[in-house]
Amino acid sequence: MALLEVDGVGRRFGGVQAVADVTFALQPGEVFGVIGPNGAGKTTLFNLIAGLFEPSSGRVVLDGTDITGWPSDSVARLGIGRTFQGVHTFKGVTVRENLQRAALLAHSFDPLRHFGNLMRRRSSVDVAVCEDVARFVGLHDRLEETAAGLSYGLKKLLGIGMALMQQPRLLLMDEPAAGLNPTEKRRLGEVIRDIRQMRCIDVMLVEHDMKLIMETCDRILVMNQGRPIALGDPTQVRSDPAVIDAYLGVDYDFA
């Protein structure tokens, strides 16, 4: 059984069709990429899967459960985690406390309403779990540093660690390489592959860095103007005439 099934999903905002007729199935053990030009509907698709928007049409099914229209907190508790384009951390507290808060907020019915209670219970999060996740993303030696003092690249890794503290079955990563230098991007690619191989968490990845996409993803969905135009492995996608015409161009450099 597919972990995630997206069946004919679409979303309208007024008179604008932001996403239309998107269908795919994410198989267990995959890193699945979503690419396309700006405005293609990639982030909107993520938001539909994660419950931030309700589809205007179609269905989203996670491991046999129809989650179409579910609120984002229910979707998260069922096993879909999320990282965002920018940096989302608690700047004034330590890396350790960021990881603790992420774990607690993931299991709160109403994170904003119960924020104070959650902060009082943060010590209940298993110390070993925090240290294990910190080591996994490469922050084990920075647990007592504040998030504000980390470099941008390390903040991105902390964001991934915070998502992993929620123990997802599927992790949606929205442009994780944005703003990173080449060394940080290589490290990011290693972390993504390790999430799949060592943590047994499937990954969906929206990204503009084609080198990262082609080296990391098993299959890739290409979108343009809200609609899918190609789906296949990296070799198939990079040579597809429709993808070349709409997005990559004939002279695209994958180096």
Side-chain angles (χ1 to χ4, degrees), residues 50 77 124 175 180 242 247 254:
R77 284 198 297 274
S124 66
E175 296 193 30
L180 301 187
Y247 185 43
F254 291 93

Side-chain angles (χ1 to χ4, degrees), residues 31-38 40 42-43 46 83-85 156 160 172-180 184-185 188-189 192 203-217 220-223 247-248 252:
V31 175
F32 188 90
V34 183
I35 66 172
N38 290 330
K42 305 181 298 296
T43 296
F46 264 28
T83 69
F84 295 86
Q85 293 180 20
K156 281 287 191 85
I160 295 172
L172 309 180
M173 305 184 74
D174 196 354
E175 296 193 30
L180 301 187
E184 292 168 335
K185 288 178 181 179
L188 174 65
I192 293 172
V203 177
M204 276 191 68
L205 175 66
V206 164
E207 186 52 68
H208 285 289
D209 188 297
M210 288 300 100
K211 179 176 173 60
L212 179 65
I213 282 283
M214 295 298 169
E215 291 180 350
T216 306
C217 294
I220 302 166
L221 171 70
V222 189
M223 297 181 64
Y247 185 43
L248 297 180
Y252 196 95

